[in-house]
Amino acid sequence: DRAIVERNGFVNSNDLLSVFGLKNHSDVDKTLHKAHLDKLIQGLHRLGYGIVPNYEFGHKRLDYNEQCVLYKSHSRRLEDITPIVHQGELFVKLFSIVLNGKRIIPNDIEYIGRCVSELNVPEKQHNYLKAYILWLQLKKQPYDKKTKDEVSELPKTTKGKFVSLLLEAVSTNGNIDNDRLEALKKILPTLEVDPASIHSLLHQSIINAGLATVEQAEGVSEYAIRQPD
């Protein structure tokens, strides 16, 4: 437990194979054998852990010598990803795209926890979604056709909720990050929002949060949010 906490949940798949006494076939295969993956997933769940990626949740199959993320699971048994949890996954994927490959910060993890609560994701799945964002951030995420199609099929009310939460994401650390803002513009059309309206939407979001003005910081691509006098 201590070693996992010190590494923020990151573990190399080869190390996990060694811990569970499973053979490493990386000399002949890129991806772990399904039988080994099943033993790994089941063994971790018996110890109270989940793993990302997990092919049972629709993720890619785990490769040899790949970084994965372990998280404390509130259940010792495998659970299906319900439609509401899948919506949470989709939101986390969009947030990862907004991050645009940049390093995630502690405030972002707290933000994810609050957002998935507002999306009514059961609390027992929050650790999973926090681990999911950490794993996604290992590489820059594309806004691919599969993701766009899934977003397009969301109910209109859910799209509106996603927009509100993602607008907060561009200022989750107390500043409005222009890079996040530009990444968000690419997502908005699929959420049925005109990218040209983003500044007025952001202004309204700031007002709703009880903040007064947005000032451009000299020489940087961020905007500092000033508290009202």
Side-chain angles (χ1 to χ4, degrees):
D1 282 6
R2 183 177 178 181
I4 291 170
V5 170
E6 288 175 348
R7 289 182 287 187
N8 294 319
F10 290 104
V11 181
N12 188 281
S13 59
N14 288 359
D15 292 338
L16 285 177
L17 289 173
S18 178
V19 167
F20 285 93
L22 299 171
K23 290 184 179 180
N24 187 325
H25 297 284
S26 57
D27 55 332
V28 292
D29 290 311
K30 176 185 177 183
T31 303
L32 270 70
H33 294 175
K34 183 178 180 298
H36 283 181
L37 271 174
D38 290 340
K39 289 180 180 178
L40 200 61
I41 292 168
Q42 291 164 12
L44 286 168
H45 272 273
R46 283 195 296 270
L47 295 172
Y49 286 98
I51 183 172
V52 180
N54 184 341
Y55 80 94
E56 293 180 329
F57 294 168
H59 304 161
K60 65 178 285 297
R61 289 265 292 274
L62 186 63
D63 291 338
Y64 289 104
N65 198 34
E66 179 181 1
Q67 286 288 92
C68 50
V69 184
L70 302 187
Y71 61 94
K72 272 288 189 181
S73 175
H74 290 283
S75 173
R76 295 295 177 103
R77 64 185 178 84
L78 296 175
E79 295 184 32
D80 293 332
I81 294 297
T82 62
I84 197 69
V85 176
H86 182 63
Q87 281 189 7
E89 282 183 323
L90 190 55
F91 175 80
V92 168
K93 178 72 178 289
L94 293 183
F95 177 54
S96 180
I97 293 168
V98 168
L99 287 175
N100 203 26
K102 290 190 174 181
R103 183 179 178 181
I104 196 167
I105 60 176
N107 282 356
D108 292 327
I109 298 295
E110 294 174 11
Y111 161 82
I112 285 295
R114 181 172 58 78
C115 288
V116 295
S117 290
E118 292 191 27
L119 292 170
N120 298 317
V121 175
E123 187 175 353
K124 63 185 178 182
Q125 296 288 9
H126 288 194
N127 284 349
Y128 157 61
L129 291 174
K130 290 176 182 178
Y132 186 48
I133 185 66
L134 290 173
W135 178 69
L136 288 174
Q137 282 308 105
L138 288 171
K139 62 180 181 180
K140 186 175 179 179
Q141 297 297 317
Y143 195 30
D144 54 23
K145 184 179 185 300
K146 179 177 182 294
T147 306
K148 289 179 181 178
D149 288 346
E150 289 183 345
V151 171
S152 296
E153 293 172 2
L154 290 171
K156 193 174 185 66
T157 53
T158 304
K159 289 178 181 177
K161 189 67 175 176
F162 274 27
V163 171
S164 296
L165 293 173
L166 290 171
L167 283 169
E168 293 180 37
V170 303
S171 58
T172 189
N173 63 349
N175 294 301
I176 296 177
D177 187 310
N178 194 53
D179 291 334
R180 291 188 181 193
L181 202 62
E182 291 302 313
L184 178 55
K185 284 181 181 180
K186 298 175 183 178
I187 295 173
L188 289 179
T190 326
L191 291 166
E192 300 182 35
V193 174
D194 182 358
S197 68
I198 191 168
H199 293 288
S200 61
L201 290 171
L202 186 57
H203 181 67
Q204 187 61 52
S205 176
I206 291 168
I207 291 174
N208 292 343
L211 301 167
T213 61
V214 180
E215 299 178 330
Q216 184 172 7
E218 187 175 345
V220 297
S221 61
E222 293 185 343
Y223 297 83
I225 301 176
R226 188 177 68 192
Q227 293 283 355
D229 296 329

